[in-house]
Amino acid sequence: MQVARTTRTWLRAAVVCGALLASAALSLPAAQRASARPYPPAPSSSAPAPPAAQAPPADPAKPTKPAKPTKPTKPAKPKKAKPAAPAVPAPSATADPASLPDLLTQLQSLYQQTESATESYNKAKETADQERAKAEALDAQLAAQRTKVVAGRDRAGLLARQLYRSGGMSPYLSMLNGETPQDFFGGLHIAQRAVGHQEDVVAGLTADEQRLTALNAQAQRALDAAQVAQNSQAAQKTQVETHLRQVEALLAGLSGVQISELQALEQQGTDKAQQEFLDSKALGTGSALRAPSKTGDRAIAYAYQQLGKPYVWGAQGPGSFDCSGLTSQAWAHAGVPIPRTAEEQWARLPRVPLSLLRPGDLVVYFPGATHVALYIGNGLVIQAPHTGAVVTISPIAVNPILGAVRPDLGAQPLTDYKPRPVPSKTDRPEPLG
């Protein structure tokens, strides 16, 4: 009886499992069609699915576990095929001419951010170099002072030993040896004065050593802080360059016609800004007749020699430049050292109004003084624009002007100045690399 009961139980379970498998097989095509859609189906199209889902409730609760074999339908999840979707916006964005102004704005913004980070990096590097030089100078002074201290202590020890040998002898024995009381006490006084003087020297040298040690520690702390700042700025610049590469990659995906349209759009904006600037008479009257000083003319000559060389962040020649690297080197070669960064050039050099601007002056751009160019007259500047570009001649209003500075304030202008010829537009490199 027990065997028969077990057999019937097994047959009943087999029948139930068979029914479930059949039901699952019948609903499989519908499930596959539903899962093949990239988005959830509308309520009307999902009507066939409920019967398959409602089949299990007709059976006991425990037998529903065999329904798990229906899981093979899960591999049909094509929702992961969505990576093909992001490829759609990119081509449409590059192909749509209406997106070119937005792309140009984004590109120019990233160029400005990159140059701002570059100038901050340059400033941190300059500070680190200065602190490093200070630390090295202090180390040299400290070594010299230590040598003096050692020599002074040796001399003090020698005098102490001589004093001990002479001062430790009884006055009576000294006089028996032929010394008079006057000779003995005179020698003792001289020895004591020598020792006192040597102690003063040693004390002074020790104080100097302590002072130099403290200064060296301060310089090292400043150097460490500058290095941390430099690393931070370098990391910030790396992040900006990452975004810049993304935009340039998008730019590289444009066709030749679209590149030409983008360049034309940029040129239109520059021409408009330049015309508005000239119409405002910001340069004052007689600007075309102004001449540079002798040193200013040498700075212009150096800048002309760099035309066509690539922009490289942090570079200051001779093969490549960034904006402040070009201006600082131009004036350094003219014999007037100026600060390394655009921000420091704006902060530390004498400012002049644009109405008195003359060739050789530096034009500073953007509210944060993050870009600088060398004025060459007739409303033009020589600049190292941005990554991907080269040293070129540009309209003065190519960027928003903050102001101008003159490295040689007080120097008289040349009386027989002849402006250098400006290359034609066909000879100038395009601003977009």
Side-chain angles (χ1 to χ4, degrees):
M1 294 293 293
Q2 184 67 25
V3 175
R5 187 180 298 108
T6 302
T7 301
R8 286 194 299 272
T9 302
W10 181 86
L11 289 173
R12 186 181 302 109
V15 171
V16 172
C17 291
L20 290 173
L21 290 173
S23 175
L26 291 173
S27 61
L28 181 59
Q32 289 177 338
R33 287 192 301 271
S35 61
R37 294 168 182 157
Y39 302 100
S44 60
S45 62
S46 61
Q54 292 174 0
D59 301 313
K62 290 183 179 179
T64 58
K65 292 182 179 179
K68 289 183 178 179
T70 60
K71 288 184 178 179
T73 60
K74 288 186 177 179
K77 276 186 178 180
K79 288 185 179 181
K80 291 186 177 179
K82 284 185 179 180
V88 176
S92 63
T94 59
D96 182 8
S99 68
L100 292 181
D102 293 338
L103 179 60
L104 179 60
T105 299
Q106 185 181 6
L107 183 64
Q108 291 174 337
S109 176
L110 284 172
Y111 279 145
Q112 182 185 349
Q113 293 176 40
T114 302
E115 191 160 40
S116 176
T118 296
E119 289 299 289
S120 297
Y121 172 88
N122 290 338
K123 182 178 180 180
K125 183 178 182 300
E126 183 181 33
T127 301
D129 291 342
Q130 291 173 351
E131 294 298 337
R132 189 178 295 109
K134 183 189 299 183
E136 291 175 354
L138 288 172
D139 286 342
Q141 294 179 28
L142 183 58
Q145 290 292 345
R146 283 174 176 168
T147 301
K148 290 181 180 180
V149 167
V150 171
R153 287 175 177 172
D154 289 343
R155 289 194 300 271
L158 177 61
L159 288 176
R161 288 192 297 273
Q162 291 175 351
L163 179 62
Y164 175 77
R165 285 195 298 269
S166 60
M169 185 179 294
S170 169
Y172 301 103
L173 293 178
S174 298
M175 285 185 287
L176 287 175
N177 288 335
E179 289 189 16
T180 64
Q182 291 82 2
D183 293 338
F184 171 77
F185 287 108
L188 180 62
H189 177 68
I190 292 173
Q192 288 175 340
R193 287 184 59 187
V195 171
H197 174 69
Q198 191 63 27
E199 288 177 349
D200 291 341
V201 171
V202 172
L205 291 174
T206 302
D208 289 341
E209 182 180 18
Q210 294 174 348
R211 180 178 62 86
L212 288 174
T213 301
L215 289 174
N216 187 40
Q218 293 175 5
Q220 185 60 47
R221 287 195 296 269
L223 178 60
D224 293 341
Q227 188 64 45
V228 170
Q230 178 178 329
N231 293 339
S232 175
Q233 295 299 336
Q236 177 184 354
K237 182 184 180 304
T238 299
Q239 184 178 5
V240 174
E241 282 187 328
T242 299
H243 296 296
L244 183 59
R245 283 193 296 269
Q246 293 174 353
V247 175
E248 289 179 335
L250 185 62
L251 184 62
L254 295 173
S255 66
V257 173
Q258 290 170 326
I259 288 289
S260 298
E261 292 177 351
L262 191 61
Q263 291 174 344
L265 184 63
E266 183 183 43
Q267 188 62 48
Q268 288 174 8
T270 300
D271 292 344
K272 180 181 178 182
Q274 180 76 354
Q275 190 61 51
E276 291 176 352
F277 177 79
L278 295 177
D279 290 343
S280 69
K281 306 298 182 182
L283 294 178
T285 58
S287 60
L289 303 177
R290 294 176 196 152
S293 65
K294 186 176 181 180
T295 51
D297 186 49
R298 286 200 293 262
I300 295 173
Y302 178 86
Y304 260 82
Q305 293 172 358
Q306 315 316 312
L307 289 173
K309 292 185 178 180
Y311 176 103
V312 175
W313 70 269
Q316 48 184 339
S320 57
F321 296 89
D322 62 18
C323 70
S324 59
L326 176 64
T327 55
S328 61
Q329 285 300 306
W331 273 97
H333 281 75
V336 182
I338 63 174
R340 166 66 175 90
T341 67
E343 182 180 358
E344 288 297 308
Q345 290 171 11
W346 172 247
R348 294 167 53 186
L349 295 178
R351 299 181 185 179
V352 293
L354 294 178
S355 59
L356 298 179
L357 194 67
R358 74 181 184 188
D361 291 344
L362 303 181
V363 182
V364 184
Y365 297 93
F366 300 109
T370 56
H371 187 72
V372 63
L374 182 71
Y375 186 63
I376 61 173
N378 294 322
L380 300 174
V381 296
I382 293 180
Q383 62 160 342
H386 52 68
T387 299
V390 298
V391 177
T392 187
I393 295 177
S394 304
I396 188 175
V398 65
N399 295 306
I401 299 175
L402 177 61
V405 295
R406 180 169 296 167
D408 61 344
L409 188 67
Q412 295 300 313
L414 295 173
T415 56
D416 56 349
Y417 175 66
K418 294 182 180 180
R420 292 168 178 79
V422 177
S424 63
K425 290 185 178 181
T426 57
D427 297 330
R428 299 186 213 171
E430 295 292 347
L432 294 174

